[in-house]
Amino acid sequence: RRLVKVAEQETGERHPDNSSALLPTMEDLTAQMAGAVQQMNLEDVSPATRLLEKRRQMFEVQEALETQKEEFARREELFKRREEQLRKQDLELQQSLIRFNKFLQENDSKLTRAEKKATEEIKMREQKEKEIQELSMQMDELSKVKDEMKAILDKNLVYEKYLLSVLEQSDDFNEIGDLLKRYETLKAHHKDLQDRAAKVVSLNDDYRNELQAYMKEGQDTKLKGHNEIAMLQKTLEEYQLDSLVAGSSRERMLEEGAERVLEYGKCLMVINNLYERARSKSKMKQVFTSDTAEQLKMIQEFVRDLSYIVQMVSKSSNPAGSGQGKTN
């Protein structure tokens, strides 16, 4: 804007307004004509002379008008040329202003790009500095790891010397790698055996727990049987009390019933005890049952198996005894 104002001021100084210089010529001409007419009126002349004078004055006025027209045409041409020059100068000034504005815009754009690039470079520099710090820390850590690995290496050199001495004394291995492979194989077998032993111990614990559970269940069953016998005994006593109240004629029958019940209870106890012993001695797992018939069946099978075993042992021991008698 300041440049536009300066250009306008310079244009006004170079091309001032000349219209004021041209306008007074018409006024001068009119004044001359009025003076001449006034002079003719003042003089006392004949009409013909006045006519001639008027024609002369008209001729002079006409010549003055022609001269004035030529001057006007000349000045008009000059004004047109000046106007054309001013138009060209204005156009050049506008073009220069456009170029200058374009230059300013380009400078602003370059400045913006430069600032953006500078900001990006600052960010990149900060990022690179951060990366340098991180890499420096990593390098320090790697140096520490290197020192530790070197210490471990120096420490393991003793084992390498020992392995070399073993290779020198052994004909089964040619290299340290073969010896290490053999060690890894033995280590794997040892781990396998440990796993198997752990499984066996776990199975043993499971079987022990299962046996304890069966024994506890048998004890519970035994206690249940004792409770049932106690209840039957109590019922028997109640029956005996009722029979004593009813009359002495029934005492004998009640005593016999009590004896039978007692014998029945004893039989149940014996059967239960035999069943528990047979079940505990049997190598086959037997499901516990409270059915007396099933218990007797199991006891019968157990006794039969035991008799068979005794017979086989007796047969195997008799030939040995007869051989010793012959020797004596």
Side-chain angles (χ1 to χ4, degrees), residues 35 84 126 151 167 169 179 200 242 257 286 292:
E84 185 68 23
E126 292 177 352
L167 291 176
Q169 296 178 3
L179 185 60
V200 170
D242 293 337
Q286 299 291 334
T292 306

Side-chain angles (χ1 to χ4, degrees), residues 92-109:
E92 291 177 355
L93 181 61
Q94 290 180 2
Q95 291 178 354
S96 64
L97 289 174
I98 291 172
R99 288 194 297 271
F100 186 71
N101 289 329
K102 186 176 180 181
F103 174 74
L104 291 177
Q105 292 177 359
E106 289 179 354
N107 285 338
D108 292 337
S109 177

Side-chain angles (χ1 to χ4, degrees), residues 241-250:
L241 182 59
D242 293 337
S243 64
L244 290 174
V245 174
S248 59
S249 59
R250 300 174 59 188

Side-chain angles (χ1 to χ4, degrees), residues 71-122:
E71 183 68 20
F72 284 162
R74 186 180 61 81
R75 291 186 178 182
E76 185 179 5
E77 183 67 22
L78 180 62
F79 289 155
K80 286 182 179 179
R81 286 198 299 270
R82 289 182 178 178
E83 184 180 4
E84 185 68 23
Q85 290 178 358
L86 290 174
R87 187 180 293 109
K88 290 182 180 179
Q89 291 178 357
D90 188 18
L91 182 61
E92 291 177 355
L93 181 61
Q94 290 180 2
Q95 291 178 354
S96 64
L97 289 174
I98 291 172
R99 288 194 297 271
F100 186 71
N101 289 329
K102 186 176 180 181
F103 174 74
L104 291 177
Q105 292 177 359
E106 289 179 354
N107 285 338
D108 292 337
S109 177
K110 290 179 180 179
L111 178 61
T112 303
R113 289 197 299 270
E115 291 177 351
K116 185 177 180 181
K117 186 175 180 181
T119 305
E120 292 178 354
E121 289 179 353
I122 290 172

Side-chain angles (χ1 to χ4, degrees), residues 30-41:
T30 305
Q32 290 176 4
M33 290 177 68
V37 172
Q38 185 177 5
Q39 186 178 3
M40 290 177 67
N41 289 331

